[in-house]
Amino acid sequence: MRTFKVTACVPSQTRIRTQRELQNTYFTKLVPYDNWFREQQRIMKMGGKIIKVELATGKQGTNTGLM
């Protein structure tokens, strides 16, 4: 099974007294190939930015016809 290692940055709002402070949360997680599109939509909907995507397991170029 192919999985991607995704590094993303998502803004998280925390309330301190009366003013709002915007903090960015960086995270890295393994996402299965089948769930990649859903995960991408989730990150974008939260206002985040995908920084890096790597192939964690599986062979590179499997879908593109390269051997």
Side-chain angles (χ1 to χ4, degrees):
M1 179 141 130
R2 287 179 289 171
T3 56
F4 292 117
K5 188 165 112 178
V6 180
T7 304
C9 173
V10 178
S12 63
Q13 288 185 350
T14 57
R15 260 190 158 182
I16 299 174
R17 296 193 185 114
T18 56
Q19 61 195 107
R20 282 187 162 175
E21 186 179 321
L22 196 65
Q23 293 181 330
N24 289 331
T25 306
Y26 288 86
F27 65 90
T28 301
K29 67 187 284 188
L30 290 174
V31 180
Y33 178 77
D34 298 333
N35 296 342
W36 163 241
F37 186 71
R38 191 178 317 138
E39 183 66 25
Q40 182 184 10
Q41 294 295 314
R42 187 183 71 81
I43 292 169
M44 296 308 226
K45 195 180 285 183
M46 291 170 66
K49 189 179 280 189
I50 297 169
I51 297 172
K52 186 166 65 170
V53 179
E54 297 176 39
L55 188 63
T57 59
K59 281 201 281 188
Q60 221 165 358
T62 303
N63 263 14
T64 57
L66 301 173
M67 290 295 194

